[in-house]
Structure formats: C-alpha cells, structure tokens
Amino acid sequence: MEVVLVVNPFASAVTEARVRAVELELGAAASVRTLFTERPWHGAELAAEVTGVDALVVFSGDGGFNEVLNGVQDGVPLGFLPGGRTNVLPRALGLPREPVAAARRLAEALEQGRQRRISLGRVNGRRFGFSSGIGLDAELVRRVDALGRREDGKRPGDAAYLRAAARVAGGRRGHFEPALEVRGLGRAAFALVANTDPYTYAGPVPVHVAPEARFELGLDLVAPVKVRALGLPRLLRYVLGGRGQIEADDVLYGHDLDRIEIACDRPLPLQADGEDLGDVQEAVFEAERDAIAVLI
C-alpha cells in the first residue's frame, strides 16, 4: 500500500519530531511519501496531484484540512491528523487528539479497510468539512486572524477566540439585530451552517450549535432572529449543552437541507471551516452528499 502524507509545518502542533513519529506509525501499514506545504492554498495544489494511492493523510490544522478537501481527486480516501489548535474534523470523526495516536488508528484503518463515506458542504463553491457561517462567528475568525502569528509561525490559541468574542459582544452591548434574509425562512441576525455535530470546540468543550447534524446527512441551519443582552446566557447554554434554544421562536432552524440561500443587508464576513472568505452580500450553501471516503 502507498500513502501520501501532506504536512503543514506551520500548524500549531506540528513539529519535526511528530512528523517523524507519524511517518513511523503510518509506515507500519504502507509506504509513506511526505509532502510539505509552503504557502496558503498549497495543500489544495498538492492534493490535486495525488492519484493512484491508497490514502491521502493530512497532518495540519482545520485550514489545511479545508485546503485538501478543495483539491483532492475523486476516489482518494482521506485521513486527518490533528496538527492545529482546534482540529474539529478529526475529533468529530472520533480520532484521538494526539497526532501520533491518531496516526496509529489510521494505520489500523488502512490495514483493516475501515472507511466511512461522509457528506461535505459548499458555500459559494468552496467546500467545507464541518461548519460555515455568516456574521458573528466569521467576525470572530477575522479578529483572531488579525492578531497574526507568533514568532514561531503558529496561530493564537483558544484564549484569543474567547477574548475576541468578549470584545464583539461588548462592542455591541450584547445586541445583534436582523441583518440578513434566509430565503423561505425569514430574517436573522447571523447564520450558522453545520455539516456535523459539534459545530466546533472551545478547548475541550464541544459547541453543539446543531445537535442533529450528521456527516451522512445534508446541512443544518441555525440562525438567531435577534439576540439581546439578556438572551446571551440562554444562547451560551444552548451552544455548550446542545439543548433548549433550538425550540425557541426567535431562532430559524433547518435540518438535513440540500440548499440554503442567504441575502445580506450589507456585506458581512463569511467563514468556512474557520477560514475567512471575505465579505459577501449573498451566499449559497449546498450539501454535497456522499462526497468522500475517510479513514476511521
């Protein structure tokens, strides 16, 4: 068997020693050819050139995973090793948070032929693995990106997101008024689109924006109509506990959807898998069912 290992050397948890250890684990099941990304979007370019192998394994953070999803050829099984800050995709697929242990699991999956077919989402043509959003969460992504990278090239940690969230909420005094239209459902302050549950993680804590979302289904939409300061605790209880808020009258909700069309009152930030895609006034989300095979 042959495996191509794509590594983002700038991801938060990637080190030379871990790359060697990951290669050793995967090498127990297959010959390994390692490729390193050198610039933004290089992961997609490398993935597009990979054909005729038993698997393409990505050792990176969520941004690198997203790049490979947008470049991989049809028919190439994927494996994801947690090398970043949050690593939503491998964690949601049940892999260990430690990359060498996760590589051992993937080697076993190769040997035993363990694969799973999952769906992906698309927003304005860009694939995403676990989540995408317009407004609030995309603004948080942008604010943390604006902090830049540390001297070692790594991105800020979860504490930076918490501080950014506090600044956003404080700047608006906890108020978020309707700013977009979800076609067929109504107006909302911001929109969160999930391809699985959890939507993301806050450190070790899963964030359950759409508890019914599954990799094998279509997309789920959660869009608060408006948020007041007094309603923030209830919203936080929902996203951290995955219950209660979904039944509220002030939340637009859709489950297992094939298409979601959104028009914004003004340009709003858009994110996919934690990557800032710029400002948009319109967004079309589509479910790409049964899109790829992944090692589990």
Side-chain angles (χ1 to χ4, degrees):
M1 286 192 289
E2 181 183 2
V3 169
V4 170
L5 174 65
V6 173
V7 179
N8 176 6
F10 301 104
S12 301
V14 174
T15 64
E16 289 186 15
R18 284 178 176 153
V19 172
R20 301 289 87 81
V22 162
E23 290 173 329
L24 186 62
E25 292 293 344
L26 295 175
S31 63
V32 180
R33 176 162 56 100
T34 302
L35 306 173
F36 291 90
T37 62
E38 300 173 355
R39 58 188 179 275
W41 210 240
H42 195 198
E45 296 172 14
L46 294 176
E49 298 171 355
V50 174
T51 58
V53 299
D54 294 281
L56 170 57
V57 176
V58 194
F59 185 18
S60 178
D62 291 315
F65 301 148
N66 183 268
E67 288 191 10
V68 169
L69 288 176
N70 280 277
V72 67
Q73 299 276 1
D74 290 342
V76 178
L78 291 176
F80 303 99
L81 296 177
R85 179 188 62 249
T86 310
N87 306 301
V88 178
L89 202 48
R91 291 168 73 179
L93 289 168
L95 289 168
R97 295 181 66 180
E98 200 283 317
V100 179
R104 190 174 306 123
R105 294 279 186 89
L106 293 189
E108 294 170 357
L110 281 167
E111 291 179 324
Q112 299 171 16
R114 292 201 310 262
Q115 295 186 13
R116 176 182 177 185
R117 300 290 305 187
I118 68 170
S119 298
L120 297 174
R122 286 183 183 269
V123 56
N124 293 351
R126 173 76 170 257
R127 273 179 162 180
F128 60 92
F130 54 91
S131 70
S132 180
I134 298 179
L136 177 61
D137 69 331
E139 185 174 344
L140 298 182
V141 167
R142 181 170 297 175
R143 289 196 178 213
V144 173
D145 284 349
L147 298 176
R149 293 178 180 265
R150 306 191 306 246
E151 291 183 1
D152 59 3
K154 312 297 186 182
R155 284 185 169 183
D158 290 317
Y161 274 91
L162 295 176
R163 290 193 295 270
R167 285 194 295 269
V168 171
R172 298 186 182 182
R173 299 181 179 179
H175 286 63
F176 298 87
E177 295 294 331
L180 54 84
E181 178 83 19
V182 182
R183 181 168 295 178
L185 290 178
R187 292 182 55 73
F190 53 88
L192 309 173
V193 179
N195 189 48
T196 191
D197 176 62
Y199 186 85
T200 187
Y201 292 85
V205 180
V207 177
H208 300 288
V209 165
E212 295 182 310
R214 296 293 182 270
F215 277 125
E216 288 78 13
L217 301 177
L219 300 173
D220 278 27
L221 167 75
V222 175
V225 173
K226 57 185 175 182
V227 178
R228 303 293 192 202
L230 293 177
L232 280 176
R234 184 162 59 99
L235 182 61
L236 288 173
R237 282 198 302 272
Y238 164 65
V239 299
L240 295 179
R243 58 184 183 275
Q245 183 75 12
I246 210 68
E247 302 297 334
D249 292 336
D250 54 353
V251 175
L252 306 181
Y253 176 67
H255 173 60
D256 192 16
L257 304 176
D258 283 302
R259 186 178 176 92
I260 303 163
E261 297 181 21
I262 293 178
C264 307
D265 296 352
R266 61 184 185 279
L268 293 177
L270 170 69
Q271 69 84 18
D273 285 348
E275 294 296 295
D276 186 350
L277 303 187
D279 288 348
V280 298
Q281 283 200 262
E282 295 184 352
V284 177
F285 299 84
E286 298 170 294
E288 188 179 346
R289 296 178 185 263
D290 196 34
I292 59 170
V294 295
L295 302 176
I296 57 171

